[in-house]
Amino acid sequence: MNNRILVSRLNRTQAAVWHLGRGETPELPVEPGYTDVSEASAFLVLFGPNVFSIAEKLTPLDFMQPDRQAPFLLQGPFSHVGCKIIVLAKKKNGSGAILLTCARGYAEAMVHAILAAGAAYGLRPAGESRFTSWLASLQD
Amino acid sequence: MNRLKHLPTLRIDVSKKRFFTYRGKSYWGFFGDTVATALYANEVRIFGRSLKYHRPRGLYSLDGECSNTCMQVDGVPNVRTETMLLKDSLQVNEQNVKGSARFDWMGFMDKLDWLMPAGFYYRIMHKPAAVWPIAMKQLRKVAGLGYLRPDFEMKGSFDEIYPTADVCVIGGGAAGMNAALAAAESGLRIILLEARPHLGGCFDYRVSPYDNEKTLYERAGDLAEQVRQKDNIRVFTHTSVVGVYNNNLITAFQVGNERDQFAERYIEIRAQSVVVATGCIERPLLFEHNEKPGVMQVGCAHRLARTYGLLPGSDAVFSVGHDLGLEAAVDLFDLGLKLPCVADIRQDGQDPRWLAALAERRIPLLQGWVAAKAHGGKQVKQVTLTTVDGTVRRRISCDVLVASAGLTPVNGPLTLAGAKLAYDSHTGYFLPKDLAEKMVTAGRMTGRNHPLSIEASGRLAGLQAAAACGADNQATLTAAEADLLGLPGPERGCKLVTAPVKGRKTFICFDEDTSVKNIKQAVDIGFDGPELIKRFTSAGTGPGQGGIPGHNLPLFVAHYTASTATPKPTTVRPPLVPTFLATYAGAHHDMSKQTPLHDTQVSAGGVFRRIGVWQRARYFSSDLDCKEEILNVRNNVGLLDASTLGKFRIHGPDALKALQRVYVSDMSKIREGRIKYSAMCNDDGCVIDDGVVVRTGENDYYFTTSTGRADATAEWIRYHTRFDGWDFHLVNLTDAMGVVNISGPNSRKVLEKVADTDVSNAAFPFAAYREFTVNGFIPVRAMRLGFVGELSFELHAPSSWMPALWEILEEAGREFGIRNFGVEAQNVLRMEKGHIILGQESEQRTNLLDLGLGFLWDRAKSAARTVGAVALRQAEPDTGRLKLVGIQMEDNARAPKDGSIIVEDRVRGYVGTARKSFTIGKAVGMALVESPLSEIGMRLAIYEDECNGRLLYASVVSMPFYDPEGRRMKM
């Protein structure tokens, strides 16, 4: 991750490039190798003190592997839906942040599932500003 | 009943009362009580009645090993009240009674056992045949335990979690805690699962010395504290393992306590290695009336006093076969229980400490004696003891009979993981051989009963489990092995199978009222193996999941058949412990997809159905035949949300090669600005997908798939090109692009109002592809298609633009009376046109040729390089395959249900889709039939689900039913 551009190699030939910043979206390079899939995905961020306690109610993916340093990417089911998930930060006490993308069509169901799973922990929706300021503090 | 309120081992909090009702009357217990112990404290001794004979049943194991104490709690039947913690406001009732548990009108059934021999429902009431349906109804009325209202709604929150661990330890007793602590030394992540609400296992309630300083319960407390101090050990109490699967996948459920926000939660753990330290349960003693209220196991009586502060009665006789029984007798005597006598099955071999303790207290000990019969109406009042050989008998008054033949390991998790069990003649246990990879056992289940041995085996198992995860602990492990070798090993177990009785009322399975006599009857009939006998007698098939008969059944069968082979246990299957379906359902979020036009469709009155992963608008009125929707498309113009289509971009130098590989057509013939319709087959030549492909640039293609195949397409193409090293890229745009289909003779009039391009037939002909904007800003990829058989435009646009595009089209079409049509209307429209939907008109074995799509297959392509082509070549000359035909019903008012079968003397085909067509005024459809039935004019008989033998008839007719020349879609 650099300058709020997060690049993740997905396989031998493909990589995902995510712009995490606020405001102007960078132009897509005019090269045939790029496909703009902004419309294809729902993009959600969970951050705060109980992120991984909430996440383990929704996925068997192991975000807390001691030998993996954030940021790292996992692909797998989250609330039974295939997702790409990037662990942006993690602490031993279970706090941290994950970014997850899933097919856009699942957006509403996914938000409901996450909010229901997080209700016991006081999970609330937050705006983009809250996230970008948190991200800035992380990078600082 | 007075409680023993000051014992240091108590797990109840006597300062916190909990109130509940039983049979409508108010009672109370303490925090920490189970429902069963609270009832017991309130003098309830009969908890319910048994399945067949309506025999009174009471406390027996305290661990829910049988259905004795299953009750109805808050409307939920079969709640195991021995393990359910008491909470305020619970409403408890007995079950399987007519009247009350104490006075059950069905109690006379106990006298009729001679009418119900083993497997009676297989053998009697079947001749004459007319009797059985009547008898079956009556049997069904009385069978089953408990009653659930059809409209019952489960209260509470049911959750699920998927924690990960390096080592999962099953069993939170001394061995399990030692295993967890030892494995945690390597810094690994440990999960410890304990079925009871607290750690401690068999140490938890015992006051016998652990060493010179501590008692066993104090030691358990120390270990639990050490576990609590470890950050890398995660403990789940009140958690029962229900399944163990390949690669150490453990499933369990946890019961929530008063502070938890869940009633129960499902737990699924993927661990690298597993320690099984589940300990032992008691092997029931077989004697006459061995399940009468007042008869209970050693652990039950002991824990009742030490954990819950309840003496089980006033006068107790013990009939046991192991030292834990003697230890409990001494301890309960010290707590105030009168002991007229202790009978020990063993002639010798007892721990001298307990012999001395009994003698010191002047408790008579009969060595080589066993209980033969419990007497009393509804509760134990007397017991007949006998020598093991049955030569001498003695009758003693008591209100409690503590009975246990020995111990038996809780092997369920091991066998689920694939271990084979073999009878061990030293311990008398079924012990595992060939344990699953990275799975180890520890503690009492290995036959060790000495506290230090239990702990040492736990520590060794923990270190072995850590080593299996890659921990470098060889030196420690070697030392732990040496420690264990220096301690007492597995102890010799009691081998007595049954007291010397005939067995008419000696129950081997309490849940199913299966007696020793029933087992003998099954053997006498010819069943010679426990597995068959289990099925024939239903022993071990009740809610206790074989906990009570699991060990005794194979032992008794081997004993009665005088088998020289070693006994073989019956199979166990998940769930090892029964739980609610609600727990498995968990939070149950409906993870379905919505199209970008979902809200628009909702506002328009769409009636939604889940189709695959999508929510789709199937109808737009209460008319499920969709007459107006259909006719509006045929005569005017309609709009359909088709966003669920799979949509992909494939690009790169070798993109065409990849398309050639998976499509049956020659994809090099795609012309600029034109659409290519084609199909994908699997290696058997069976059609798996169809769609259109367009070329959007050099080495750049955009293609669609059917809705159901969208998720599988990328992997399909990757799989079939995996060895070629081709340079191409595939991007799934299914969710990135929405699709609206505007169809009908007036569709061009609508589109030309908003499209920034010429959409006339000359400029944008049938099967053409164009890219343009709508109202100057919405980028659209447009295709002239005719799936519904009318002039149609399929407009693909970025998802975010879709609501705006829809609104623009609706506004433009308002003057023509444009209206929505849903998936059902589309289904009928395309059926009239003879266009297929894969999965509707086809199934697993339907190939391209069967469906009449052979024209898509380019036979000049290299068959070896086109998926399915080799199989198609082989299938082409085969005249015996199913063929897709059109059918017209003889009764035009009546179309058969989709999927109805076509019959003669056997099934000869089936209907794909059939509807009453408003367009042509006939009931028509498509069917796959055997080739000889595919001739035009052939009469077909159709058997419809629930038709009661009244067949429908149709004739084979030519297709399409509508506009056979295809003029309308090319207009």
Side-chain angles (χ1 to χ4, degrees), chain A residues 13-14 32-35 37 39-40 56-57 59-60 62 64 79-81 103-106 108-110 113 116 120, chain B residues 159-164 189 234 261 589-594 613 649 651 729-733 735-736 798-800:
Chain A
T13 60
Q14 288 179 298
Y34 287 86
T35 309
V37 290
E39 295 272 341
E56 76 170 2
K57 294 172 75 173
T59 178
D62 188 0
M64 298 304 281
S79 195
H80 310 288
V81 170
R104 177 195 183 105
Y106 283 117
E108 189 164 319
M110 183 62 76
Chain B
D159 216 338
E160 57 198 282
I161 57 168
Y162 303 86
T164 45
R189 291 173 298 166
R234 191 171 176 187
Q261 300 214 4
H589 302 292
D590 180 16
M591 298 306 291
S592 57
K593 293 176 85 170
Q594 296 179 355
V613 296
R649 179 193 180 198
H651 64 102
H729 306 278
L730 186 63
V731 187
N732 188 342
L733 297 174
D735 287 71
S799 292
S800 299

Side-chain angles (χ1 to χ4, degrees), chain B residues 71-90:
Chain B
M71 302 180 87
Q72 182 136 341
V73 180
D74 285 349
V76 181
N78 295 317
V79 173
R80 295 182 307 152
T81 56
E82 285 177 331
T83 56
M84 183 186 188
L85 291 176
L86 185 66
K87 288 184 283 192
D88 271 330
S89 308
L90 290 180

Side-chain angles (χ1 to χ4, degrees), chain B residues 220-246:
Chain B
D222 285 352
L223 287 170
E225 181 57 23
Q226 288 177 44
V227 166
R228 201 179 65 77
Q229 297 288 342
K230 288 281 185 188
D231 286 340
N232 55 338
I233 301 178
R234 191 171 176 187
V235 179
F236 291 90
T237 54
H238 219 172
T239 301
S240 300
V241 169
V242 290
V244 180
Y245 303 91
N246 287 353

Side-chain angles (χ1 to χ4, degrees), chain B residues 312-624:
Chain B
S314 58
D315 296 81
V317 168
F318 275 62
S319 176
V320 297
H322 50 87
D323 285 341
L324 282 175
L326 304 185
E327 178 185 335
V330 170
D331 190 30
L332 289 172
F333 179 86
D334 291 345
L335 290 174
L337 189 67
K338 294 177 195 156
L339 259 65
C341 143
V342 172
D344 194 326
I345 299 163
R346 301 167 296 177
Q347 287 282 4
D348 52 36
Q350 293 90 346
D351 186 332
R353 283 184 305 158
W354 301 120
L355 295 179
L358 288 167
E360 188 182 315
R361 291 161 178 78
R362 297 184 181 176
I363 302 170
L365 174 66
L366 300 172
Q367 289 170 269
W369 283 65
V370 65
K373 185 174 183 179
H375 303 272
K378 291 171 180 145
Q379 285 176 245
V380 170
K381 289 183 178 164
Q382 289 181 322
V383 58
T384 295
L385 297 176
T386 173
T387 52
V388 170
D389 58 13
T391 52
V392 184
R393 290 182 173 239
R394 187 180 295 174
R395 198 156 161 155
I396 300 171
S397 293
C398 61
D399 60 351
V400 172
L401 172 57
V402 181
S404 177
L407 301 174
T408 181
V410 181
N411 280 326
L414 304 176
T415 48
L416 292 187
K420 300 291 177 207
L421 299 179
Y423 185 72
D424 177 67
S425 56
H426 175 68
T427 55
Y429 293 178
F430 290 106
L431 293 177
K433 53 179 185 177
D434 305 328
L435 277 174
E437 196 178 353
K438 296 187 178 182
M439 181 174 273
V440 283
T441 58
R444 288 204 303 162
M445 68 183 313
T446 62
R448 293 176 173 85
N449 280 317
H450 191 284
L452 296 179
S453 302
I454 290 170
E455 289 201 26
S457 76
R459 176 167 172 73
L460 176 61
L463 293 170
Q464 288 169 329
C469 296
D472 182 13
N473 61 0
Q474 191 53 50
T476 328
L477 210 154
T478 306
E481 284 171 342
D483 287 348
L484 183 61
L485 280 174
L487 290 166
E491 293 180 3
R492 184 168 172 271
C494 171
K495 307 297 188 316
L496 181 84
V497 178
T498 174
V501 292
K502 289 185 179 173
R504 181 179 167 185
K505 298 289 183 183
T506 299
F507 289 93
I508 207 159
C509 175
F510 298 175
D511 293 357
E512 300 290 323
D513 273 341
T514 310
S515 64
V516 161
K517 183 182 173 186
N518 294 145
I519 305 299
K520 289 178 179 175
Q521 288 166 336
V523 172
D524 294 343
I525 288 170
F527 292 97
D528 55 357
E531 204 67 68
L532 281 174
I533 292 168
K534 172 182 169 182
R535 278 151 185 77
F536 189 63
T537 63
S538 67
T541 59
Q545 308 286 80
I548 293 292
H551 197 144
N552 275 335
L553 177 63
L555 288 190
F556 183 78
V557 171
H559 174 73
Y560 186 64
T561 56
S563 170
T564 52
T566 53
K568 283 189 179 171
T570 54
T571 307
V572 294
R573 295 180 179 83
L576 292 172
V577 178
T579 187
F580 302 125
L581 290 175
T583 305
Y584 284 107
H588 189 56
H589 302 292
D590 180 16
M591 298 306 291
S592 57
K593 293 176 85 170
Q594 296 179 355
T595 72
L597 291 167
H598 185 84
D599 292 343
T600 308
Q601 307 286 290
V602 170
S603 304
V607 178
F608 283 75
R609 294 285 183 271
R610 182 157 178 169
I611 300 175
V613 296
W614 291 94
Q615 295 285 349
R616 298 197 71 180
R618 190 162 186 98
Y619 317 99
F620 280 94
S621 73
S622 56
D623 172 21
L624 303 188

Side-chain angles (χ1 to χ4, degrees), chain B residues 37-80:
Chain B
T37 59
L39 285 169
Y40 205 85
N42 285 283
E43 308 292 344
V44 174
R45 294 291 177 269
I46 303 172
F47 287 69
R49 293 280 174 154
S50 68
L51 176 70
K52 274 194 299 189
Y53 303 143
H54 282 251
R55 290 171 64 86
R57 291 284 166 80
L59 271 192
Y60 188 74
S61 75
L62 266 195
D63 275 327
E65 288 165 21
C66 59
S67 61
N68 276 18
T69 52
C70 282
M71 302 180 87
Q72 182 136 341
V73 180
D74 285 349
V76 181
N78 295 317
V79 173
R80 295 182 307 152

